[in-house]
Amino acid sequence: MWLILIITVVIIGAIFLARKASMPVEKKTQEFLKTQQTRSKEEVSGRSLPPPPPFPMGSTRRKDANRIAPKRIFRLDYDGSHDFDNYPFEIVGESHYQSNIERFAVKREGKGCFTEVEAKIIREFSNSHDKNACRVDINGLTVGYFPRNNAESWVKLLGRLNMPDNSEVYVKAVIVGGGSKDYSFGVRLDIPSRIANSAKYIKEV
């Protein structure tokens, strides 16, 4: 009987000593976990986070930032070295803007019009038919658009020259036609017929 009691006391004492010895380790573990939690909260709050990386090329955030950047104005003065004709670039869609074009056309009696003007090329982000749509305006009025394949080339050119998407590029243009009801007005631009050749002629104003 006494032997069983002594063994029981020894076992209880051993368990107590073992638990007491492990308490510092548990306390250190708890302190470590608490420190990690505090550090995580600080990082979430932004106090320890590194600055965000720049926008990756082609990202949506980069494009949006590019579109709302301050507008920059450029001129494209072409010397005709890549084409045989003056005003070699033909735009499209003029039939929808005849009343706008007619406001600037100087008509000649019995002949078609040949009125030299200044035009502006600008991206049209709200266009639901073409994400690369490039609009042509004269004195703030739309007179037509770039053909789809040329619009895509123009957008690529803006990117290659590090020009903002909302850049405005002014060029020489001419209004032609309008000699009769069957011969509507058209607009031609004095820029290279191959868009890629425009790069060296674009200068910021």
Side-chain angles (χ1 to χ4, degrees):
M1 181 69 180
W2 285 104
L3 181 61
I4 294 173
L5 183 61
I6 293 172
I7 292 174
T8 302
V9 171
V10 170
I11 292 173
I12 293 174
I15 293 173
F16 176 79
L17 291 175
R19 181 162 183 168
K20 187 175 180 180
S22 66
M23 286 181 65
V25 175
E26 290 179 356
K27 187 175 180 181
K28 289 182 179 179
T29 302
Q30 290 175 355
E31 289 178 353
F32 174 78
L33 292 174
K34 187 175 180 180
T35 301
Q36 289 298 102
Q37 289 176 351
T38 303
R39 185 176 179 182
S40 297
K41 289 180 180 179
E42 290 178 350
E43 289 179 347
V44 170
S45 67
R47 284 179 286 179
S48 300
L49 290 175
F55 299 141
M57 290 297 293
S59 71
T60 302
R61 291 178 64 193
R62 182 187 182 91
K63 290 179 180 178
D64 290 342
N66 205 6
R67 290 177 184 180
I68 62 176
K71 284 186 179 179
R72 292 166 60 187
I73 299 175
F74 299 81
R75 286 202 63 85
L76 194 164
D77 290 315
Y78 182 41
D79 60 11
S81 60
H82 295 284
D83 296 277
F84 295 107
D85 301 321
N86 292 328
Y87 305 100
F89 190 86
E90 297 184 15
I91 67 173
V92 297
E94 300 105 304
S95 60
H96 301 289
Y97 304 100
Q98 289 295 297
S99 59
N100 287 350
I101 300 173
E102 190 173 8
R103 294 181 61 175
F104 308 109
V106 178
K107 300 177 182 178
R108 298 180 296 178
E109 188 67 29
K111 297 181 180 180
C113 172
F114 191 88
T115 306
E116 294 178 306
V117 294
E118 183 178 65
K120 178 177 70 176
I121 305 167
I122 188 168
R123 297 267 321 266
E124 187 176 77
F125 304 115
S126 60
N127 193 300
S128 59
H129 302 289
D130 183 5
K131 65 179 182 179
N132 297 315
C134 297
R135 192 178 73 236
V136 179
D137 293 352
I138 296 177
N139 282 0
L141 297 178
T142 300
V143 297
Y145 290 84
F146 275 27
R148 186 180 292 268
N149 61 322
N150 295 121
E152 183 179 1
S153 298
W154 183 261
V155 172
K156 289 180 180 179
L157 179 66
L158 294 183
R160 184 155 58 91
L161 297 178
N162 292 321
M163 295 168 58
D165 288 337
N166 62 355
S167 296
E168 298 180 352
V169 182
Y170 287 83
V171 301
K172 296 176 183 176
V174 64
I175 300 172
V176 296
S180 67
K181 292 182 179 179
D182 298 326
Y183 191 18
S184 60
F185 292 107
V187 177
R188 301 172 69 95
L189 306 181
D190 192 20
I191 67 175
S193 56
R194 184 171 181 269
I195 293 297
N197 292 330
S198 300
K200 69 177 182 178
Y201 300 104
I202 299 177
K203 307 294 181 184
E204 188 164 9
V205 176

